Amino acid sequence: MTNSIKQILPPATIGILGGGQLGQMMALSAKSMGYKVGILDPTPQAPAAQVSDFQIVADYDDEDALKELAQKSDVLTYEFENVDQKALAKVTDYVDVPQAIDELTITSHRLHEKDFLSKNGIPVTEYAAVNTADDLKQAVANIGYPGIVKTCEGGYDGHDQIDINDESDIDKAAAELNHREWIYEKKQPFEKEVSIMVTRDVSGMNIPFPLSENIHKNHILHTSIVPARVDDAVHEQASDIAVKIADRLGLVGVLGIEFFLMPNGELLVNELAPRPHNSGHYSIEACNISQFEAHIRSICGLEIPTIRQDHKAVMVNLLGDDLTTARQALPTNPSWHFHDYGKAEIRPGRKMGHITVIGDSFDQLLEQVNQFK
């Protein structure tokens, strides 16, 4: 399923579709290794562009702009999964695109993703495709309450999702089912949300990162605690599932996998992200190599060592005005590893930066960032 991976060495140019914070941290890793980096993003001086060699300011589906990036680059990657797959396929004659288009086709569409996981024996919640009000009624009849309707494409941090708790919610949701594909998923009484990153090196070795325990606020990741405070069997189960998914996908780069931890200790896969993931930011300071360096090494055909976490870690997202609070508190918090993404506008709920703290005691680490509860 993968394209062949050739070895691409510095000072080759890496082109990145997307100029947000994930692209920024990819670029920083690539630059530290001696690569040149180019960004395609519609926002001038996007976060990733601020630390890169050049930016092409254009929409992501601008085929001429994508061709220009391809011609200026030796390898192409992306920081988000909603890439125009047809446009990306057209530039493979100009540049190496080691991440398979099939990987995007699966992970950018929730129904395709659930079907892929289910067909490969990976546990997921009950689900059904929904296109009409009648489809939704039938899905609820078959699967039951409570559930959630999500768009198959697009949507993040809780956007384009509708809770279904009773019949009145079905009627309300029906008005939203217009000319888009949706999926109905059974809500699960999970105990914790956890996630894991996995990468694959040039030899085909699948290498998982430690398991992260995640706490959300208003559907947005707020805090990650690593390694997750769960039984060893759960860590092993997550790693085994991650390696299996990476193998079935023919993974190149880094893949994020979100799980629900059920009361019986079993894991259900919630979502896949075919790129570095918010919950893996801790790895910059807490591991021998970060998820971003692992991604660059993978797409450039380099070997990757076994991932080792050197310290316990807590990562807190700085959402909206949290960034202002953190900037003001920075002088008196020397233990913080402070990351400011350089976004032009502070908005409520927007990911503006993050803080990671590392050490030996989770209680002490959580106390160091407790002002962002």
Side-chain angles (χ1 to χ4, degrees), residues 130 132-134 136-137 140 144-150 161-177 182 184 187:
V130 170
T132 66
D134 286 342
L136 179 55
K137 290 177 182 176
V140 172
Y145 299 111
I148 187 166
V149 180
K150 303 177 182 179
Q161 299 186 10
I162 306 166
D163 289 332
I164 305 294
N165 296 308
D166 55 40
E167 192 169 342
S168 66
D169 289 332
I170 297 177
D171 296 332
K172 292 175 187 175
E176 303 293 328
L177 306 179
W182 298 75
Y184 180 72
K187 279 189 178 179

Side-chain angles (χ1 to χ4, degrees), residues 112-123:
H112 295 166
E113 185 174 276
K114 286 289 193 294
D115 285 345
F116 164 80
L117 293 167
S118 183
K119 288 174 182 176
N120 282 284
I122 308 295

